[in-house]
Amino acid sequence: RKVEGKFSFGMKKIKRPDLITFFFNLEQLTGAGVPLLECLADLRDSMEEPVFREIIANLVKSIEGGKKLSEAMALHPNAFDKIFISLTHAGEESGRLVEVFKHLTESIKWQDELAAQTKKLVMYPAFLLVVVVLVTLFMMLYLVPKMVAFLKNMGQELPLHTQVLIATSNFFVNYWYLV
């Protein structure tokens, strides 16, 4: 999988609901006065997604090794994009980390809702497109060839648009694998 111009070598991108849970819990716990390392250890133990659990464990190790949270997050571009890292760094510098976590949570929730609405909006036209394609295939592969014999038995010259329809149907019948 490709992440920011580099290959992540099988590491999958962390899903939005997991990020929402992560930042929401960080906001709640740090807002209640729980030390950051304790918050991360609790999140590591409660996270169900094994890849994200491993990332949080690495965050704990990095912070115990003397790094700031934003520096530790920068080591995991498959989980935290540059905006998350920059905002976290700004929160660390300003002492307003709780507010940053709250804004990140709200932002990711908004993105998730927008993605869900977009998916809903695309589903109906996609469904209609499939129906139209299936009806067209049915007509061109089954219905028109059945009508050709009837039209030819009438003995009259066929109009141009009917001849085009028959030629199109013949193309569909003979070259269906290309269509």
Side-chain angles (χ1 to χ4, degrees):
R1 202 173 250 176
K2 201 171 173 151
V3 178
E4 295 180 5
K6 301 173 190 163
F7 286 100
S8 62
F9 300 108
M11 293 294 286
K12 62 182 183 176
K13 191 137 173 81
I14 302 302
K15 295 178 181 158
R16 269 190 227 103
D18 291 331
L19 286 171
I20 292 169
T21 301
F22 176 76
F23 285 116
F24 176 77
N25 286 328
L26 276 180
E27 175 211 342
Q28 295 295 307
L29 292 170
T30 54
V34 178
L36 185 61
L37 272 173
E38 234 179 274
C39 297
L40 290 170
D42 287 346
L43 283 170
R44 175 195 60 209
D45 297 338
S46 65
M47 189 60 64
E48 292 181 21
E49 175 63 41
V51 174
F52 201 26
R53 190 176 333 129
E54 182 69 27
I55 289 170
I56 296 171
N58 288 336
L59 291 177
V60 170
K61 288 177 191 172
S62 296
I63 293 171
E64 287 173 342
K67 292 186 180 200
K68 292 181 177 182
L69 177 60
S70 59
E71 295 169 337
M73 289 168 66
L75 299 174
H76 302 282
N78 57 320
F80 307 107
D81 65 22
K82 291 179 181 180
I83 294 172
F84 296 165
I85 296 163
S86 298
L87 288 172
T88 302
H89 178 69
E92 291 168 336
E93 295 298 316
S94 67
R96 301 175 88 179
L97 206 50
V98 175
E99 291 176 39
V100 167
F101 291 150
K102 181 178 182 176
H103 290 300
L104 284 171
T105 303
E106 290 171 359
S107 174
I108 299 168
K109 279 183 183 178
W110 177 78
Q111 289 174 4
D112 198 45
E113 290 169 8
L114 188 63
Q117 288 175 351
T118 303
K119 189 182 276 185
K120 284 180 187 176
L121 288 173
V122 169
M123 289 305 292
Y124 183 68
F127 172 74
L128 286 180
L129 178 65
V130 167
V131 169
V132 167
V133 167
L134 290 176
V135 167
T136 302
L137 286 174
F138 171 75
M139 288 177 59
M140 291 296 148
L141 294 173
Y142 180 76
L143 195 59
V144 172
K146 294 281 186 192
M147 302 239 355
V148 167
F150 171 75
L151 292 172
K152 286 186 177 176
N153 285 338
M154 289 179 63
Q156 296 179 0
E157 187 174 330
L158 300 174
L160 179 63
H161 62 277
T162 305
Q163 291 175 5
V164 169
L165 178 67
I166 292 170
T168 305
S169 174
N170 287 336
F171 179 80
F172 271 73
V173 169
N174 294 324
Y175 301 102
W176 59 268
Y177 50 88
L178 293 176
V179 176

